[in-house]
Amino acid sequence: MKLLLVDGNSFIYKAFYAIRGLSNRAGLPTNAIYGFRNILEKCHNAIEPDGIVVVFDAPGPTFRHESYPQYKAQRQKAPEDLISQIPWIHRLVEAQGLKRLCIEGFEADDVIGTITCQAQDAGYREVYIATSDKDLGQLLTKPGVFLYDTSKERILDAAAFHDKMGVTPAQVIDYLALVGDASDNIPGVKGIGPKSAQKLLEQYGTLDNIYAHVDEISGAVGKRLQEFRDDAFLSRRLLELHTSVPLDDSDFRPGVPNVPELYEIYSELGFQGLRDKLNYQVDAPPAAAVATDIDVRIADTAEAFAELLHEAATAAVIAIDTETTSEHAVEADLVGISIAIGEQAWYVPIDHAHTDTHRNMPTADVQKLITALDRSDLLLVGQNIKYDLIVLQRHDMALPQPRLFDTMIASYLLDANRRSHGLDQLAVEFLSHEMIAFKDVVPKGSTFRDVDIPTAARYAGEDAAITLALYNLFAPRIEQEYHELFHAIEMPLVRVLCHMEMLGIAVDREMLGNLHESFTRRLHELEEKIYELAGEAFNINSPKQLATLLFEKMGIPPVKKTKTGYSTDVSVLEALAPQYEIANVLTQYRMVSKLLSTYVNALSELINPWTGRIHTSFNQTVANTGRLSSSDPNLQNIPIRTEEGREVRKAFVPAPGFCFVAADYSQIELRIAAHLSGDESMLKSFAEEKDIHAQTADAIFGSSEPNYRRMAKAVNFGILYGISAFKLSRDLGMTPKEGQALIDSYFLRYPGVKAYIDHQIAFAREHGYAQTLYGRRRYLPDINSRNRNIREAAERNAVNMPIQGTSADIIKIAMNRIHQQLAPYQARMLLQIHDELLFEVPFEQAEPFSAFLQEQMESAAQLKVRLTVTVSSGNNWNDVH
DNA sequence: GCATTGACGTAC
DNA sequence: GACGTACGTCAATGCA
């Protein structure tokens, strides 16, 4: 087994200076990326390793800076043209399926040294180090270690190295301690160059021995040695590798190249030749993906089950998947459980309809299995594990103990942009494995219960096995870059969301029934009126028919176009309203129709027959910024702005004996903007706890009277979203020129905000992503797009995502902390609506709980401005606002 | 017949 | 085209 360690940093520099004048059409320099890729390929082809790691320096200080503050001080900062290429190089390495290491506090050399020392234990007989720096020569003292010299394309062992350098590998550090290294600011002994150093080491062997005999050394050399003794020893200390860098990963086998990603990278960089060589059709699945059978044991005999129990009780990492009768966890019946441990997958049949060849395991046995899994020293892995936890808990098989690892959420953190984090897609992309299709196993009209047990085992076992394989792939990256976010925020939140979804929220059926009636009646009235004004009947719900009527039959001049015809949206109807009565009626019709179909009717149908409550599903991996989303039904967009809409809200009620307590962060996104930008005026406004929009109005208009406040509010929101003069002016009914003037005066009064926006865009351009205060990232591949619209959209994301995402991070932290401390209260968390939490609490606890809630939410993050939370209680969801 | 797309509107 | 993030409904269109 051969292991190849690539010293990424040395090659980035080498490539950058070796090739000149390469850039893509957007003007991004690409010379280092191109050169680096070639070097990487060259090493790989020359060595043909079984494992490969590409190691980079981590940004920020290292332990060397502590012992020697001037360390690398004189080294010039890397040129801007090089820095902008680094994120692309990292992305390219990952897309190639190679392990990329970058350990905070250590340099690439230390990491390479550490892995070299551990390689033999990991089963590698030969270690090849590809580098253009000579200090790694010191590692050649170990047997089975070689250097690869890319420029000469040859492998150096200790003897060859000695020939080339004139010193043995064991002497490299001492040699460099004498000679020094200007680029790393290793001082060395001034006045001693390579020749003297070689001669001294040949004669005395080591630096220590040289100094032991320093009195014997005559002339200038001796004098210099005496004079710079401290520098020599300090230099050596700096050169010594730290060979116990903490690494939590020893699997260096390369994965499969991510061809679509490579295609995208090469396209973006303008590497036409490389792209064409990929032989990849856009949107076609990679040809490499194959369906391979996974060995699954059916645990329905006493022996097999006993063995499974033993494994389940002792393994450290286990993947689990449940098979059920419904995709909705709150109403699904458990049919079977699959488990993957190490290389083995298991299937436990529980409630299959056909048992001719195998048997269903009795509940008591399944309980034993769950008990074996319910221990705090287990890492329980699952794909969308919230689903499995809910199903199991509903079958009296709660698993409160294990630490969790959700591969779907891991995929989301690693790249939120991914179109799907579904197991099928991840298997194809990361493992080149084509999964058995659910619809092939469960034909339409049947459920998993009807599937025969051997087929079920193949399907379910594959799910668990692939999930475990994805865990093996994702875990190192998660631990390295998203440890806190994953383990301190997202995984604990899974358990909170389980509780919320299982509990659901009550609605007043009767009230919904009444609303249905009154809205339906009103809709008919409006419909009649529209037909009358139109002079004919037509389908008002069809924008197409409506446009034909308004702009052709009635001859009303069109206001705005969509890509398929004339627009009839609310802004158009609003513009027509003063002149045409029908526009007014249509607006009302649209509102009532929306309330009826999307809310009143849909909500009634989603009341769970068993609990009598509505159980939404909170999705943790949909929103690109880190927000949650809610579906089936979406309870995050229940109306609040119009009177009629609030009627729907009133239908949400607490359980008998309980009241609602709601808490919402006031202006959290603007506060975060103030924190992130550090703008003094904005910070001051919040410090004074005054109306922020009025303050802004005062700042840019010199007055905070209502109309100015309204415009200031629009500007404040515009800032959060990446404003454009055009849209702002249209919203405020002014000319684009006036809109621009408004933005200009805003930035004049809030220069810190302007600087922040510019910085966010520059950061994204440089790193290829935007990030929140807690390190959540969103990659922005379009940030350098040549298409201005696409590029500007990415720039707005670069500004907005850190703000919206930090807000999402903070409320998630608050949810976790509150959940953990709920025990003294009988309060239940029901909903999260981005900056608001809704609870139901026994009446008598409303007050103490409200105080607790406010304190917890306000202290969830310590920013440069206070977070303030408004709490209120009431007997329906409308009452709490 | 079922799936996808577009227009629209609700929330934060 | 033209300010961010979602989800759901309906009609029209696309595909078998």
Side-chain angles (χ1 to χ4, degrees):
Chain A
M1 293 259 285
K2 297 181 193 171
L3 180 63
L4 172 61
L5 301 174
V6 181
D7 179 3
N9 279 74
S10 78
F11 288 139
I12 288 179
Y13 276 92
K14 197 177 148 89
F16 180 73
Y17 290 111
I19 306 171
R20 303 306 306 179
L22 214 57
S23 64
N24 74 355
R25 279 166 296 186
L28 173 82
T30 55
N31 56 333
I33 311 171
Y34 188 77
F36 185 90
R37 202 214 69 94
N38 288 347
I39 293 173
L40 198 58
E41 188 179 37
K42 212 192 265 179
C43 305
H44 193 271
N45 291 344
I47 310 290
E48 296 185 331
D50 304 286
I52 177 165
V53 190
V54 187
V55 188
F56 296 96
D57 287 347
T62 69
F63 69 92
R64 288 190 177 80
H65 291 88
E66 284 170 20
S67 54
Y68 187 40
Q70 307 94 312
Y71 179 61
K72 285 196 180 174
Q74 268 147 358
R75 184 182 215 168
Q76 285 192 331
K77 200 175 176 317
E80 197 56 37
D81 279 358
L82 174 54
I83 290 175
S84 60
Q85 297 183 64
I86 291 175
W88 285 95
I89 291 172
H90 287 220
R91 192 174 155 198
L92 181 68
V93 170
E94 300 221 327
Q96 296 277 9
L98 307 181
K99 282 275 162 355
R100 176 177 72 85
L101 278 185
C102 194
I103 310 277
E104 212 171 297
F106 298 95
E107 289 173 34
D109 288 358
D110 300 314
V111 178
I112 290 173
T114 302
I115 299 176
T116 304
C117 292
Q118 297 172 354
Q120 301 241 308
D121 290 340
Y124 293 103
R125 305 187 67 110
E126 296 170 7
V127 178
Y128 296 85
I129 300 169
T131 179
S132 55
D133 282 355
K134 37 196 173 303
D135 46 345
L136 285 173
Q138 59 185 292
L139 292 168
L140 291 179
T141 49
K142 299 185 180 304
V145 177
F146 307 93
L147 285 193
Y148 181 68
D149 178 343
T150 47
S151 48
K152 300 257 164 44
E153 298 190 24
R154 66 185 185 126
I155 292 165
L156 300 176
D157 59 10
F161 182 83
H162 190 173
D163 276 357
K164 187 182 163 193
M165 298 292 300
V167 291
T168 67
Q171 292 171 323
V172 169
I173 300 183
D174 292 354
Y175 170 79
L176 289 170
L178 289 168
V179 176
D181 185 339
S183 70
D184 282 353
N185 207 24
I186 303 286
V189 175
K190 282 204 180 60
I192 294 195
K195 287 294 161 205
S196 313
Q198 277 170 24
K199 227 166 100 186
L200 286 166
L201 285 168
E202 204 170 318
Q203 190 174 350
Y204 296 104
T206 66
L207 186 68
D208 289 327
N209 201 37
I210 291 171
Y211 274 100
H213 298 88
V214 72
D215 296 342
E216 307 164 9
I217 302 167
S218 59
V221 171
K223 215 172 138 199
R224 296 287 188 182
L225 284 171
Q226 302 263 20
E227 191 180 343
F228 295 104
R229 182 190 187 105
D230 288 349
D231 279 352
F233 283 98
L234 176 64
S235 298
R236 192 173 67 174
R237 232 174 56 229
L238 291 171
L239 286 159
E240 270 169 358
L241 295 182
H242 188 297
T243 56
S244 48
V245 177
L247 300 172
D248 34 22
D249 180 21
S250 59
D251 182 5
F252 302 134
R253 287 169 298 178
V256 177
N258 181 344
V259 178
E261 169 79 351
L262 285 172
Y263 188 92
E264 227 177 281
I265 294 174
Y266 291 158
S267 301
E268 194 70 35
L269 295 176
F271 297 167
Q272 304 286 344
L274 289 170
R275 190 188 71 180
D276 295 343
K277 264 201 278 181
L278 286 172
N279 195 20
Y280 168 70
Q281 291 285 307
V282 182
D283 291 335
V290 284
T292 41
D293 268 5
I294 285 166
D295 177 40
V296 185
R297 288 183 64 186
I298 300 172
D300 73 332
T301 64
E303 302 73 40
F305 193 77
E307 201 179 319
L308 171 59
L309 271 188
H310 174 74
E311 295 276 331
T314 50
V317 180
I318 293 178
I320 189 166
D321 185 44
T322 55
E323 300 305 333
T324 69
T325 54
S326 166
E327 57 180 324
H328 294 118
V330 286
E331 57 186 50
D333 290 336
L334 186 61
V335 175
I337 296 175
S338 60
I339 299 266
I341 304 172
E343 302 291 305
Q344 186 65 54
W346 300 82
Y347 184 65
V348 183
I350 294 170
D351 187 18
H352 283 267
H354 310 291
T355 51
D356 8 299
T357 54
H358 294 79
R359 64 163 179 152
N360 286 319
M361 292 304 285
T363 307
D365 284 320
V366 184
Q367 291 282 4
K368 274 189 214 157
L369 174 64
I370 297 298
T371 307
L373 294 174
D374 193 26
R375 48 193 169 87
S376 59
D377 58 342
L378 173 69
L379 183 69
L380 190 66
V381 180
Q383 165 78 7
N384 189 17
I385 200 163
K386 169 160 66 71
Y387 177 91
D388 306 281
L389 291 174
I390 290 175
V391 169
L392 289 170
Q393 173 143 17
R394 285 184 43 256
H395 289 76
D396 296 320
M397 300 177 192
L399 281 165
Q401 293 294 328
R403 289 172 301 124
L404 303 178
F405 191 106
D406 190 326
T407 48
M408 186 163 89
I409 295 172
S411 163
Y412 170 73
L413 284 191
L414 293 172
D415 183 4
N417 282 334
R418 183 173 291 285
R419 276 179 245 87
S420 157
H421 304 281
L423 193 59
D424 298 9
Q425 281 82 359
L426 296 180
V428 170
E429 288 192 36
F430 289 99
L431 305 166
S432 293
H433 177 90
E434 190 80 54
M435 306 276 289
I436 303 166
F438 180 79
K439 64 176 171 51
D440 292 345
V441 177
V442 186
K444 234 182 140 46
S446 66
T447 74
F448 205 86
R449 189 180 275 135
D450 309 310
V451 178
D452 68 88
I453 293 177
T455 307
R458 264 199 308 282
Y459 174 83
E462 177 181 64
D463 276 3
I466 293 296
T467 300
L468 191 61
L470 287 174
Y471 158 77
N472 286 323
L473 208 58
F474 291 160
R477 303 186 207 173
I478 289 288
E479 298 309 329
Q480 195 175 321
E481 300 191 65
Y482 302 100
H483 183 89
E484 284 291 305
L485 204 51
F486 188 77
H487 292 289
I489 298 184
E490 300 292 356
M491 288 305 103
L493 188 66
V494 169
R495 295 204 178 271
V496 181
L497 297 178
C498 282
H499 280 88
M500 295 167 71
E501 292 186 15
M502 271 187 290
L503 189 60
I505 184 169
V507 289
D508 185 328
R509 270 176 209 271
E510 201 185 320
M511 212 182 286
L512 280 183
N514 292 340
L515 279 180
H516 174 83
E517 241 176 74
S518 71
F519 283 164
T520 307
R521 201 177 320 120
R522 184 150 165 223
L523 199 64
H524 279 130
E525 288 164 16
L526 292 164
E527 188 184 341
E528 290 301 320
K529 207 162 168 188
I530 290 165
Y531 293 159
E532 199 182 303
L533 290 165
E536 64 178 280
F538 63 103
N539 186 348
I540 308 169
N541 291 322
S542 162
K544 197 180 158 181
Q545 291 183 36
L546 181 60
T548 309
L549 178 102
L550 293 177
F551 307 117
E552 288 173 23
K553 294 182 181 162
M554 292 181 69
I556 297 174
V559 179
K560 179 165 95 159
K561 282 178 145 186
T562 67
K563 58 179 161 182
T564 54
Y566 298 126
S567 170
T568 64
D569 72 14
V570 67
S571 71
V572 171
L573 296 178
E574 207 177 306
L576 300 177
Q579 271 190 283
Y580 303 94
E581 172 62 10
I582 195 172
N584 241 322
V585 189
L586 282 167
T587 306
Q588 290 184 52
Y589 177 93
R590 282 255 173 89
M591 179 183 72
V592 177
S593 154
K594 176 82 175 180
L595 290 172
L596 197 56
S597 66
T598 306
Y599 299 104
V600 177
N601 293 345
L603 285 177
S604 307
E605 285 180 30
L606 284 162
I607 298 173
N608 183 299
W610 306 106
T611 64
R613 294 165 68 107
I614 293 182
H615 303 261
T616 184
S617 170
F618 286 104
N619 201 318
Q620 234 169 320
T621 61
V622 172
N624 276 320
T625 54
R627 272 188 178 182
L628 294 180
S629 78
S630 154
S631 60
D632 305 299
N634 180 358
L635 293 185
Q636 291 181 322
N637 71 347
I638 301 302
I640 190 169
R641 288 169 195 179
T642 64
E643 185 52 44
E644 292 87 342
R646 283 197 289 274
E647 291 298 314
V648 175
R649 214 164 247 252
K650 286 182 189 165
F652 287 82
V653 292
F658 286 70
C659 64
F660 277 156
V661 172
D664 67 286
Y665 282 109
S666 119
Q667 307 294 359
I668 189 171
E669 292 198 359
L670 283 170
R671 284 171 200 266
I672 289 167
H675 173 85
L676 293 176
S677 71
D679 183 275
E680 285 180 23
S681 314
M682 216 170 164
L683 289 173
K684 192 157 161 278
S685 293
F686 279 118
E688 291 169 4
E689 298 287 344
K690 289 194 190 141
D691 176 341
I692 182 69
H693 301 311
Q695 296 263 312
T696 306
D698 223 25
I700 59 184
F701 300 114
S703 161
S704 57
E705 65 104 349
N707 195 39
Y708 286 128
R709 185 185 179 280
R710 183 182 61 88
M711 292 199 274
K713 187 175 173 181
V715 177
N716 275 332
F717 277 101
I719 295 303
L720 300 178
Y721 301 146
I723 202 158
S724 86
F726 181 88
K727 181 70 159 71
L728 180 71
S729 62
R730 221 182 45 181
D731 283 2
L732 291 175
M734 50 175 67
T735 66
K737 212 170 170 180
E738 288 168 326
Q740 188 57 52
L742 206 52
I743 295 171
D744 290 345
S745 57
Y746 179 92
F747 284 144
L748 200 64
R749 301 307 299 264
Y750 297 97
V753 176
K754 172 71 175 147
Y756 170 74
I757 290 172
D758 293 343
H759 176 261
Q760 283 309 301
I761 294 170
F763 181 93
R765 220 180 282 300
E766 185 176 330
H767 296 89
Y769 61 84
Q771 65 180 348
T772 68
L773 206 53
Y774 296 85
R776 185 191 303 278
R777 287 181 191 173
R778 175 177 183 173
Y779 286 92
L780 297 167
D782 294 333
I783 196 77
N784 289 310
S785 169
R786 282 168 288 111
N787 181 321
R788 199 179 60 155
N789 286 334
I790 293 176
R791 185 179 62 248
E792 286 179 346
E795 289 174 356
R796 289 192 292 273
N797 292 153
V799 175
N800 175 258
M801 182 274 177
I803 297 172
Q804 189 175 114
T806 300
S807 166
D809 294 341
I810 290 173
I811 196 164
K812 284 177 173 179
I813 291 169
M815 291 168 76
N816 287 332
R817 293 196 189 163
I818 292 164
H819 176 77
Q820 279 215 317
Q821 301 171 69
L822 271 187
Y825 309 92
Q826 279 108 54
R828 313 144 156 183
M829 197 184 297
L830 303 182
L831 298 178
Q832 186 247 50
I833 310 100
H834 309 308
D835 63 355
E836 169 189 356
L837 295 176
L838 181 70
F839 294 80
E840 60 185 11
V841 190
F843 284 118
E844 63 279 10
Q845 291 184 351
E847 270 188 38
F849 181 72
S850 298
F852 160 79
L853 195 55
Q854 179 168 20
E855 156 62 21
Q856 288 299 316
M857 287 174 73
E858 291 188 347
S859 65
Q862 307 299 321
L863 306 182
K864 291 176 188 160
V865 292
R866 255 193 77 202
L867 290 177
T868 63
V869 169
T870 314
V871 187
S872 61
S873 57
N875 289 318
N876 65 57
W877 196 5
N878 190 46
D879 270 8
V880 294
H881 283 101

